[in-house]
């Protein structure tokens, strides 16, 4: 895998950054198109996307800094490296959701309806983004034996151990996210209550992430007790998702009540 794809003069196109850009633009285009088809106020999708992306980037960086807090306390000079590199996906999800909620509240939009609109394409974007992780070699898996047919080997990665076979966690994560996208698209035709599809997203992603964490080999991810940071967050995400799928619909007595509650 190769992160530096090509250069134009002094400008180098990195695989990770390119895939992140493709992921964001793809999700934005599909969300706006879906909003048009559903007769929603699609003109607000662009500023909403800006809020969500900025909130996601800030959340991803903040959570990464929290996972490195002990290291930063011991050596404050590490802050330069931490600000340059390192993001945590869960931070981007939480930060993006919070930013979107603030935007919807300010613009009197139904947040749960918007959340349901976005989540299938969010899963798709995550699948594309993980390809960037594969190119860069970050979020790599634990070492596996040379006879293991699924092992992948990096030779020029600045993040993953080079020249040894590793569990292809980036590929697995990407495939799971693409599957997640397909399942959510199918469920979007059946689930009628606002927030249920978003709840399914939280449940499915969190369960997959919890399991996949056992096969990750990058140690700088923080921990809470016996769980990694992401596993610990996954537990609460599943609980929140179950609430949104099974409890929240019972609280939505009528469309009018739901509309007023979520503004």
């Amino acid at each position: 895998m190769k992160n530096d794809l090509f250069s134009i003069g002094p400008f180098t196109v990195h695989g990770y950054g390119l895939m992140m850009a493709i992921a964001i633009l793809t999700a934005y285009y599909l969300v706006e198109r879906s909003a048009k088809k559903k007769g929603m106020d699609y003109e607000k999708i662009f500023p909403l996307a800006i809020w969500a992306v900025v909130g996601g980037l800030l959340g991803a960086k903040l959570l990464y800094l929290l996972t490195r807090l002990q290291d930063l306390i011991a050596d404050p000079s590490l802050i330069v490296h931490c600000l340059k590199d390192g993001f945590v996906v869960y931070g981007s999800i939480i930060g993006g959701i919070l930013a979107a909620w603030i935007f919807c509240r300010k613009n009197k939009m139904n947040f749960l309806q918007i959340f349901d609109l976005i989540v299938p394409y969010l899963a798709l974007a995550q699948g594309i983004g993980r390809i960037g992780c594969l190119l860069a070699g970050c979020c790599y898996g634990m070492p596996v034996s040379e006879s293991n047919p699924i092992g992948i080997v990096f030779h020029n990665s600045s993040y993953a151990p080079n020249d040894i076979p590793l569990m292809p966690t980036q590929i697995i994560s990407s495939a799971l996210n693409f599957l997640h996208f397909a399942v959510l698209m199918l469920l979007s035709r059946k689930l009628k209550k606002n927030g249920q599809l978003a709840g399914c997203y939280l449940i499915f992603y969190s369960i997959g992430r919890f399991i996949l964490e056992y096969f990750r080999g990058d140690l700088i991810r923080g921990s809470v007790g016996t769980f990694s940071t992401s596993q610990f967050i996954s537990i609460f995400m599943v609980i929140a998702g179950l609430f949104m799928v099974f409890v929240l619909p019972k609280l939505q007595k009528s469309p009018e009540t739901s509309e007023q509650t979520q503004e």
Side-chain angles (χ1 to χ4, degrees):
M1 276 53 70
K2 185 178 180 181
N3 192 37
D4 296 344
L5 299 181
F6 58 88
S7 297
I8 302 176
F11 180 73
T12 300
V13 175
H14 300 289
Y16 182 86
L18 177 63
M19 297 313 298
M20 290 300 116
I22 292 174
I24 292 170
L25 292 174
T26 300
Y28 163 69
Y29 169 75
L30 293 174
V31 169
E32 186 179 70
R33 188 182 71 169
S34 182
K36 287 181 180 179
K37 288 183 178 181
K38 295 182 178 182
M40 300 170 63
D41 189 0
Y42 66 89
E43 293 183 352
K44 291 182 179 178
I45 297 300
F46 180 73
L48 171 63
I50 298 298
W51 274 67
V53 169
V54 172
L57 290 173
L58 292 175
K61 178 58 67 176
L62 178 60
L63 187 53
Y64 176 72
L65 292 175
L66 288 175
T67 63
R68 300 294 306 274
L69 187 59
Q70 291 185 347
D71 295 332
L72 289 170
I73 292 174
D75 184 4
S77 66
L78 289 175
I79 189 66
V80 176
H81 173 75
C82 290
L83 289 176
K84 180 181 178 182
D85 295 315
F87 294 94
V88 178
V89 171
Y90 259 132
S92 67
I93 294 173
I94 296 171
I97 291 173
L98 180 59
W101 176 80
I102 294 172
F103 180 88
C104 289
R105 188 171 181 84
K106 287 172 65 67
N107 290 273
K108 301 187 185 308
M109 299 171 67
N110 187 316
F111 169 68
L112 290 180
Q113 186 182 40
I114 295 296
F115 200 1
D116 286 339
L117 177 73
I118 292 173
V119 288
Y121 309 113
L122 175 57
L124 176 63
Q126 288 176 298
I128 297 172
R130 284 301 184 188
I131 298 175
C133 295
L134 177 66
L135 293 174
C138 60
C139 308
Y140 55 88
M142 63 175 55
V144 296
S145 67
E146 294 185 1
S147 61
N148 193 319
I150 68 171
I152 58 173
V153 179
F154 294 90
H155 298 291
N156 298 293
S157 175
S158 299
Y159 303 99
N162 290 300
D163 303 319
I164 63 172
L166 303 172
M167 179 71 69
T169 48
Q170 305 98 327
I171 298 174
I172 296 171
S173 181
S174 184
L176 287 176
N177 279 307
F178 288 136
L179 176 62
H180 194 187
F181 163 68
V183 171
L184 290 175
M185 289 300 293
L186 291 174
L187 289 176
S188 67
R189 304 172 185 174
K190 299 181 179 182
L191 300 177
K192 303 302 181 183
K193 291 289 188 177
N194 289 337
Q196 283 190 302
L197 190 65
C200 287
Y201 165 83
L202 295 178
I203 294 169
F204 299 153
Y205 176 78
S206 299
I207 291 175
R209 182 61 186 268
F210 187 95
I211 296 172
L212 196 59
E213 282 288 298
Y214 285 115
F215 300 95
R216 289 276 290 267
D218 47 331
L219 298 178
I220 305 177
R221 291 177 288 120
S223 62
V224 180
T226 59
F227 297 123
S228 71
T229 301
S230 292
Q231 286 179 318
F232 183 73
I233 295 174
S234 291
I235 295 171
F236 294 95
M237 285 293 192
V238 169
I239 294 172
L242 291 171
F243 175 84
M244 294 174 71
V245 173
F246 298 107
V247 179
L248 192 58
K250 297 178 182 179
L251 303 179
Q252 300 177 34
K253 297 181 180 180
S254 67
E256 293 78 11
T257 300
S258 176
E259 183 81 17
Q260 295 171 3
T261 301
Q262 305 306 323
E263 285 184 357

